[in-house]
Amino acid sequence: QGELVESGGGLVQAGESLRLSCAASLSPFSDYAMGWFRRAPGKEREFVAGISRYSSSTDYADFVKGRFTISKDYNNRMLYLQMNSLEPEDTAIYYCAGEKTQSTRTVLTNTNYHYWGQGTQVTVSS
């Protein structure tokens, strides 16, 4: 219970796309708000995107709005982050996170998540 495993990272060129996946053992998946965070070299972990329990609400960091999309697959207990128009500044380790919430509309944008994955490396070359 509570395992998150990211995949889908890699090395791409600026302007290209990647889709990150997070396999979650959290059950029922609809009880959990989920998020993506990243940590660039020499920087603190920062919020990227979040989604509420039933996907009714999403939120994005300003630096990814219009480029990244977060989504949940309830049947397969998967969290995704579609990343388009990648920039060298997006280079970081990306982490998925999960937190059980009562509210159906809450999107957690801070790091107060109980469950975290190990991360997947995304490198964008110029």
Side-chain angles (χ1 to χ4, degrees), residues 74-110:
Y74 294 88
N75 288 335
N76 296 301
R77 286 186 284 173
M78 297 291 293
L79 178 72
Y80 298 106
L81 185 68
Q82 178 65 44
M83 306 188 295
N84 299 328
S85 303
L86 284 161
E87 303 168 352
E89 293 74 21
D90 295 317
T91 295
I93 300 173
Y94 283 72
Y95 302 88
C96 71
E99 177 68 21
K100 195 168 187 176
T101 62
Q102 291 295 322
S103 169
T104 60
R105 295 191 63 82
T106 295
V107 177
L108 300 173
T109 61
N110 54 36

Side-chain angles (χ1 to χ4, degrees), residues 37-40 43-47 93 95 111 116-117:
F37 291 75
R38 71 185 188 186
R39 175 151 48 202
K43 295 188 177 181
E44 296 291 318
R45 188 177 297 191
E46 62 183 354
F47 170 77
I93 300 173
Y95 302 88
T111 56
W116 290 88

Side-chain angles (χ1 to χ4, degrees), residues 16-18 38 60 62-69 82-90 94:
E16 294 184 340
S17 299
L18 277 176
R38 71 185 188 186
Y60 297 91
D62 286 343
F63 52 77
V64 302
K65 281 182 180 176
R67 299 190 298 127
F68 291 10
T69 303
Q82 178 65 44
M83 306 188 295
N84 299 328
S85 303
L86 284 161
E87 303 168 352
E89 293 74 21
D90 295 317
Y94 283 72

